[in-house]
Amino acid sequence: MYSKVKTCVLQGLDGHIVDVEVDLSRGMPMFTIVGLPDAAIKESKERVRTAIRNSGFEFPLSRITVNLAPANLKKDGSQMDMAIAAGILIADGKIQEFSTEDKAFLGELSLDGTVNPIDGALPMVISLRELGISQCIIPYGNKDECGIIEDVEIIPVKDLAELVDHLSGESVIRSYVSDDHNDASVYNPLYDFSDIKGQEGLKRAMEVSAAGAHNLLIVGPPGSGKTMAARRIPGILPHLSFEESIEVTKIYSISGLLGKSRLMKERPFRAPHHSSSGVAIIGGGRIPKPGEVSLAHNGVLFFDELPEFQKSVLEVLRQPLEDGFVHISRANASLSYPSDFMFVASMNPCPCGYYGDPLHQCTCSQNHIDRYLGKISHPLLDRIDLHIEVLPVKYEELNTDLPSKSSDEMRKSVSVAREIQKERFEGLTIYTNSQMGNKEIKKFCKLTTSSEQIMKSAFDKLRFSGRTYNKILKVARTLADLNKSENIDDKHLLEAIQYRSLDKKYWG
C-alpha cells in the first residue's frame, strides 16, 4: 500500500516542500528511508516506530520504504517525524478517507508519542503558505509562534494519538489563530537617556545615527559613558512594524532562540564578547546557521572595545555592512541571511585608555598606540558613518538637577525623520538614508553653491575617499530631516563633516 504526505525542509530562511512517500510491501520486515536524509532523519526510524507502538497502534510488519522527494534536495532536521508516522499510518489503513494534497506535517516525535516543538517552524509555515499549502499541522508548542500567520490554517497537536483522531474525524482540532496581528508598539526601554548626565554631543550623534540608521563609532577614555549610552539606542529607534517583526522572528525561530515568544516585538540588541569567532559573528556550521550579524537584523549590533576583537573578525563585517545581507558557503550548503543592522562600536583611544584625556596621563608609547589603532582598518572605518569623541564627564554635569533629554523625546524626533524618509523613498526598495545608493544620493542630496564649496574644501583638506564623501551626504540628509528641512543647508553639511574628522586625528 502507498501513501504520500507533505512536509518541509529549510535552506536558510526559505522552505521547500518535501513529499514523504511511504510504501508498505511484502517481504522481510525492514524500515528504509531514502532521499538524501541526514543523521537526524535516519534516526527518526526508531522514534517513529516506538512512538506508533506507545500511542496504542500496531506497527506494520512489512517492508517499509520511505522516499523523501525530491531526492536531489538535502534534508536535515527532525521535523519530518510526524509526516513519516502519518504516512505509515495512512498506508497501513489506520487513517482512511483523508486528502493530504493541501496539508503539511511538521513535528518531532518523542518515544511516548508526544509531538515536540521544533526550531524554524515560523519560516517553514510562511514558505509553505507561499507554496500553496492551506493547512499546517504543527506541534502544540509552536502554535503561538505560527498562529500570527494569516491565510493558512494552523492545527496544533499534542501527540500522535490526537493527530490520528483528528485525521480520522473522531475528534477534530480547531485551527489556532493568534490575536497578535497588531503593530508591535508596546516596547518600554529598560534604559533611558535621561539617566545620562552630560555628554550632549554623544546623545546628539546617537539621535542622528538612529534617525538615518547610520553606523556609529564612539572613541573615549574608560568611564566616559560609551557603553552606557550605546545600550540605550534601542529605546530611541522606531517601533518594529509587523513585517519587520516577522523578519526578526523568522531568524530567531531558525536559531532556536525564540523561547516562548510568539512574535519579536523589540528591536534586537546584540553585544557579542570580543573573544567571539568569525563563525559566531557571521554564521556558519555544517548547515550554516545565522550569526550575530543576522540576529541583529532590524536592530543594533554593538561591539564594545572594538580593537580587542580579532582583526579577521572585524574584516568579515565589511560585506554585511555594505550589502545588508551575508552569504555563507559551506560544503553542505550555500545560504544567505539578512543582516541589515545599525553597527555601533566603542573603543579607547589607546591601550591604557587615556590618550588625549585631560585628567589622566597616558602611559602608552606611540608604537603601542599605532599597533592598537592599526587593528581597525581604513576600509572598515569608511563603512562607519559617524565618528564621535567623548571626554570624561565633569563634576558639575554629574551633580546638576537640570533635566536631561529622555529616550521618549529622542524617539519622537527620530520617528518624524524616519517618516520623512519613508515618504521620500516610497516605491523604492530602501527605507532609510543610510541605504541610499549613488542614484538616490544624486537625486535627494543636492547641495547649494556654498555647500559645494564647503564640501570641496573639506574633501581636499581631509583627503576623503569616495565612500566617505557619500557617507557625509547621507548624514547631512538625515540632519536636514531631523530639522524638517527640505534642503541640505550649510549647517547640516558642516555637522556631517564634523562627524568624519575624527579618523584623521587618530588614524591619519
Side-chain angles (χ1 to χ4, degrees):
M1 290 175 283
Y2 171 84
S3 70
K4 182 172 75 172
V5 298
K6 298 182 185 297
T7 185
C8 183
V9 65
L10 283 176
Q11 288 191 333
L13 292 178
D14 300 320
H16 301 271
I17 290 179
V18 174
D19 290 324
V20 180
E21 300 177 299
V22 179
D23 178 72
L24 305 186
S25 58
R26 294 180 179 180
M28 183 177 294
M30 284 185 65
F31 192 168
T32 306
I33 300 178
V34 297
L36 285 182
D38 75 340
I41 297 175
K42 290 178 181 178
E43 291 173 353
S44 70
K45 291 186 293 185
E46 303 307 320
R47 291 195 298 272
V48 169
R49 187 198 314 271
T50 309
I52 289 176
R53 286 175 176 169
N54 289 335
S55 297
F57 306 104
E58 184 179 346
F59 191 80
L61 294 175
S62 306
R63 185 182 182 90
I64 304 173
T65 303
V66 177
N67 179 44
L68 308 177
N72 63 345
L73 178 67
K74 292 182 179 179
K75 293 100 183 165
D76 67 283
S78 58
Q79 73 277 2
M80 298 187 184
D81 288 5
M82 193 199 299
I84 293 172
I88 292 173
L89 292 171
I90 293 171
D92 195 37
K94 300 293 191 304
I95 304 171
Q96 299 177 352
E97 299 180 3
F98 174 66
S99 173
T100 61
E101 279 302 312
D102 59 347
K103 298 175 178 62
F105 298 79
L106 303 170
E108 175 190 314
L109 291 176
S110 291
L111 298 185
D112 62 354
T114 302
V115 180
N116 294 328
I118 58 173
D119 293 338
L122 180 63
M124 288 183 193
V125 170
I126 292 174
S127 298
L128 289 168
R129 179 192 62 177
E130 295 170 351
L131 294 170
I133 298 297
S134 62
Q135 185 182 97
C136 291
I137 301 173
I138 65 167
Y140 189 84
N142 292 116
K143 68 182 180 69
D144 288 333
E145 172 186 348
C146 300
I148 60 176
I149 305 302
E150 298 177 336
D151 304 326
V152 62
E153 193 177 3
I154 301 298
I155 305 296
V157 297
K158 297 178 180 178
D159 52 51
L160 193 57
E162 187 180 48
L163 172 66
V164 173
D165 289 342
H166 171 76
L167 298 181
S168 302
E170 295 181 11
S171 178
V172 177
I173 303 172
R174 291 186 178 183
S175 60
Y176 180 80
V177 179
S178 171
D179 58 355
D180 208 351
H181 291 81
N182 59 322
D183 194 9
S185 57
V186 297
Y187 174 50
N188 293 315
L190 181 62
Y191 306 108
D192 198 289
F193 271 101
S194 62
D195 301 330
I196 300 178
K197 301 295 184 180
Q199 301 297 13
E200 296 303 321
L202 177 58
K203 293 179 186 178
R204 170 65 173 174
M206 289 188 165
E207 187 176 20
V208 175
S209 176
H214 300 292
N215 302 320
L216 174 66
L217 173 64
I218 313 165
V219 182
S224 54
K226 303 186 298 295
T227 303
M228 182 172 64
R231 292 191 179 278
R232 284 157 172 76
I233 291 181
I236 65 173
L237 292 173
H239 299 299
L240 282 171
S241 66
F242 182 72
E243 291 74 18
E244 288 176 323
S245 296
I246 291 292
E247 290 178 0
V248 177
T249 305
K250 285 169 64 176
I251 296 171
Y252 276 71
S253 175
I254 202 174
S255 302
L257 299 175
L258 199 56
K260 296 182 179 180
S261 303
R262 62 174 67 177
L263 186 66
M264 293 289 291
K265 295 186 176 183
E266 302 176 9
R267 289 192 181 271
F269 181 86
R270 304 293 299 183
H273 191 261
H274 59 74
S275 62
S276 300
S277 66
V279 171
I281 300 299
I282 294 300
R286 187 180 62 84
I287 302 296
K289 293 293 185 181
E292 293 292 340
V293 295
S294 297
L295 294 172
H297 181 62
N298 287 332
V300 178
L301 178 64
F302 176 51
F303 274 22
D304 198 8
E305 304 298 341
L306 187 65
E308 299 299 331
F309 285 81
Q310 300 175 40
K311 190 167 184 177
S312 59
V313 171
L314 297 179
E315 293 308 307
V316 299
L317 282 175
R318 287 157 58 175
Q319 187 248 336
L321 280 173
E322 192 76 14
D323 301 332
F325 68 90
V326 60
H327 188 76
I328 309 169
S329 294
R330 295 292 184 271
N332 290 314
S334 182
L335 305 174
S336 293
Y337 290 109
S339 58
D340 188 6
F341 56 88
M342 264 181 61
F343 180 59
V344 180
S346 69
M347 60 177 288
N348 297 328
C350 67
C352 79
Y354 294 116
Y355 178 69
D357 187 342
L359 304 178
H360 299 85
Q361 180 68 38
C362 176
T363 60
C364 305
S365 68
Q366 190 60 46
N367 188 39
H368 286 158
I369 295 173
D370 292 342
R371 190 183 305 119
Y372 180 77
L373 297 176
K375 296 181 181 179
I376 316 300
S377 67
H378 282 281
L380 179 60
L381 283 171
D382 258 0
R383 287 167 170 81
I384 302 177
D385 308 40
L386 291 87
H387 305 162
I388 182 74
E389 184 176 25
V390 294
L391 295 175
V393 183
K394 297 178 181 178
Y395 176 79
E396 293 77 11
E397 294 173 325
L398 287 173
N399 203 37
T400 184
D401 292 328
L402 294 175
S404 183
K405 199 172 184 180
S406 68
S407 292
D408 189 55
E409 293 174 294
M410 295 172 71
R411 188 196 295 116
K412 288 177 182 177
S413 298
V414 168
S415 298
V416 169
R418 288 285 185 104
E419 282 299 317
I420 292 173
Q421 294 166 54
K422 184 179 179 181
E423 293 177 10
R424 176 184 300 129
F425 303 130
E426 188 174 0
L428 302 177
T429 56
I430 59 178
Y431 307 97
T432 60
N433 290 333
S434 65
Q435 297 173 323
M436 286 192 290
N438 291 332
K439 183 179 178 181
E440 291 78 24
I441 290 173
K442 289 181 179 179
K443 183 177 180 180
F444 301 116
C445 300
K446 294 179 180 179
L447 300 177
T448 62
T449 304
S450 60
S451 295
E452 283 280 7
Q453 291 299 319
I454 293 171
M455 189 72 232
K456 183 179 185 306
S457 176
F459 189 90
D460 294 337
K461 182 178 180 180
L462 298 174
R463 304 187 302 278
F464 289 144
S465 67
R467 181 183 283 114
T468 302
Y469 170 78
N470 287 338
K471 296 286 188 186
I472 289 173
L473 291 179
K474 293 178 185 179
V475 173
R477 180 66 268 172
T478 299
L479 288 163
D481 292 341
L482 281 169
N483 288 345
K484 303 177 185 177
S485 173
E486 185 176 348
N487 301 314
I488 297 176
D489 297 332
D490 292 357
K491 62 180 180 180
H492 303 138
L493 185 61
L494 287 168
E495 186 176 353
I497 292 172
Q498 175 189 331
Y499 290 130
R500 286 310 303 250
S501 58
L502 189 61
D503 52 340
K504 301 303 176 185
K505 175 180 176 180
Y506 288 108
W507 288 272

